[in-house]
Each structure stands twice: as structure tokens, then as C-alpha cells.
Amino acid sequence: MKNRLLAISITFLFAACVNNQPKAENTTASETLPAFMEYTVLNVYPHDTTSYTEGLLVHNNELFESTGREGFSKFAQIDLTTGKPIREHYIDKSIFGEGIAIFDNKIFQLTYRSNKIFVYDLKDFKKIAEYPWPGEGWAMTHDGKSLIASNGTSNLQYLDPNTLQLQKTLSVTDQNGPVNNINELEYVDGFIYANQFLTNNILKINAESGRVVAKADLTDIFAHGGKVFNPDQLPDLHEDVLNGIAYDSARGNFLITGKQWPYLFEVKFR
């Protein structure tokens, strides 16, 4: 009997000790903070200050840019060293052009509020097709299989590049929930890099889950790179916001610019 009472007492004592231990923190995916993504400016190139940048990409070692605003919207192949167009195509003056993607030797171009996607032949920039687009168009990239488009919300649309039909929707989230104003997109090795419009942040998004896994703050980018900038040539970052992300696979670096910025930065993220 004494042995049974002793065993019971030890059991209760052990349970009490366990209950008094600090509880393990219940960490869930929704509470995980994005990592801070540092960057280094490697080179600084000129950029046309009349370009209201909506999209930026590198295709076959060639730089392409699309610009917005009615009457000024175009896409062009750009000489990186001079910032000047090698060839360019202006669209209808009534249309506000948005982001572009190059896939299967075609240029796909979103429009802001015209509810259209234009398709051009990469070789001669001639328009070959036009598709309806519901709502606003902001930015576009591709993952080698699907076009990926943003409309300014927290959702990314995956599109069939042959029919432009919706395949799936990916919701972008962080520890606080949905992340809105997802803009300018670049797909790299399973991740989507995106500018969050009206911020100086670039987000690194897991392309499978939609989770923001890292974030870079480029507010001070004009103070980097070892270049002395003329203060009179610096943009107002409240109006001429960051809005250009292109991955150069040959160098393993990114090219970064913004709306009407005088410079384009070659950047390595860490």
C-alpha cells in the first residue's frame, strides 16, 4: 500500500513539475517574419528619365522595358550602357501600357484599365493578337510554363500562354495576412520577386505557397554604389517610385530602376 501511495505521489509531483515548465511557443507559418534581404550595388547605368517604368526584364542577354501613361506608353529593347532604346514600339495614345513578359518569342503586354492584353512578335514588334483582361493590369512574368500576372491586389494569376485562360490564382501573404499592391514581377528559380507599389520594398515570394519569405528595403539605394549623385537629378521617391526588376541570369544579378529614375542599378541580393 505504501509503495502504491509513493508511486502515486511521484506521479503527481512529476505532472506538477511538467505543468510548471514554460510552454513551448506555438510558432506557425502565419507568424514567421520574412527575412531581411541585404543588397550590394555593383554598377550604376543611365536610365531615360522620360520612361515611366512599368516593366523590366532581360531576355537572351538583352534588356527590355515597358512604360506607362497615356500617350507615352511603349516597350523597347534598351542599350544598358547608354539607357537609350535600340528599337521601340509605341502603343495607341489612349492606352496606359503596363508590364510585359517575353515567352515563346512573343511579347505579352498588360494594359492598366483598357481590359486588354496585347501580344507582339519579338522579332519585329508587330502586334499578332489581342485578348480580353478583366480588371486592372499591373505586371507580368513567367515561370517557363505559365504567364504570371498581377492586378494590384494580393492575388497573382497564372495564365495559359496559348489561350490566356486562367489556370490558378496564388494569394501572396506574410505574417499579417494578404499583401496588396503586388507589382513588377520577376520569376527566379522557384521564387517571384515583386515590388510592392508605393513602397521601396522588393518582396521575395515562394511561388508554390505565396508566402513572402524575404524583403529588401531599397529606400537608400541612391546612397550606394560609390557614385556621387547630383541632388538635382534624384527622383522624388514618393512619386517616382521603385518599379523595375530584371534578373540577368548571365551575371546572376538584378537590374533595378524606378519610374523616371535617372539611373538603373545592378544589384546583388544576399
Side-chain angles (χ1 to χ4, degrees):
M1 184 67 178
K2 287 182 180 179
N3 290 338
R4 288 185 60 193
L5 290 175
L6 179 61
I8 292 171
S9 298
I10 292 173
T11 300
F12 276 106
L13 179 61
F14 177 76
C17 290
V18 169
N19 289 335
N20 286 331
Q21 294 295 318
K23 292 184 178 180
E25 185 178 354
N26 184 21
T27 302
T28 64
S30 63
E31 297 168 340
T32 304
L33 294 172
F36 180 71
M37 193 160 55
E38 296 182 347
Y39 68 95
T40 301
V41 173
L42 303 177
N43 288 296
V44 181
Y45 302 99
H47 181 250
D48 185 354
T49 55
T50 67
S51 293
Y52 198 75
T53 306
E54 299 296 348
L56 196 71
L57 64 88
V58 174
H59 176 76
N60 289 344
N61 297 319
E62 297 174 337
L63 178 65
F64 292 82
E65 181 177 24
S66 62
T67 67
R69 297 187 304 168
E70 292 88 348
F72 300 93
S73 295
K74 67 176 182 179
F75 59 88
Q77 180 186 343
I78 304 295
D79 185 324
L80 177 62
T81 59
T82 66
K84 298 188 179 300
I86 297 171
R87 53 186 180 134
E88 58 189 356
H89 176 82
Y90 281 87
I91 64 175
D92 189 290
K93 291 184 178 182
S94 66
I95 294 177
F96 192 122
E98 282 283 348
I100 58 171
I102 296 178
F103 185 87
D104 193 24
N105 293 316
K106 299 171 188 169
I107 299 174
F108 295 81
Q109 181 186 35
L110 286 167
T111 58
Y112 182 33
R113 289 177 172 169
S114 297
N115 305 117
K116 297 176 182 179
I117 295 179
F118 299 133
V119 186
Y120 306 88
D121 189 300
L122 176 60
K123 188 186 304 181
D124 56 18
F125 285 5
K126 288 184 178 179
K127 184 177 171 183
I128 56 178
E130 180 179 312
Y131 294 88
W133 174 256
E136 295 183 359
W138 282 38
M140 186 177 281
T141 187
H142 72 85
D143 62 2
K145 298 174 293 184
S146 303
L147 298 173
I148 306 171
S150 66
N151 60 6
T153 68
S154 61
N155 293 325
L156 297 177
Q157 289 80 38
Y158 281 65
L159 308 173
D160 184 318
N162 297 310
T163 65
L164 276 296
Q165 293 298 304
L166 181 67
Q167 295 174 321
K168 69 174 183 177
T169 299
L170 181 70
S171 179
V172 179
T173 61
D174 64 10
Q175 75 281 5
N176 297 314
V179 180
N180 290 311
N181 287 352
I182 298 300
N183 202 16
E184 234 298 86
L185 306 173
E186 185 78 341
Y187 178 90
V188 184
D189 297 333
F191 296 94
I192 299 169
Y193 291 77
N195 163 237
Q196 187 177 18
F197 185 54
L198 298 179
T199 78
N200 295 308
N201 295 331
I202 289 180
L203 311 179
K204 183 179 181 181
I205 302 162
N206 185 306
E208 290 293 325
S209 66
R211 291 286 302 176
V212 177
V213 298
K215 180 187 296 186
D217 182 354
L218 276 69
T219 300
D220 296 329
I221 193 167
F222 283 89
H224 291 69
K227 182 178 177 64
V228 178
F229 297 104
N230 183 345
D232 295 332
Q233 294 181 333
L234 298 185
D236 180 355
L237 296 182
H238 295 289
E239 181 177 351
D240 297 330
V241 295
L242 173 75
N243 203 44
I245 311 168
Y247 180 65
D248 186 344
S249 59
R251 306 184 192 199
N253 301 324
F254 288 81
L255 298 173
I256 304 292
T257 193
K259 298 179 184 296
Q260 303 180 130
W261 282 19
Y263 305 108
L264 184 148
F265 299 86
E266 182 182 355
V267 166
K268 179 175 285 295
F269 289 117
R270 303 190 303 278

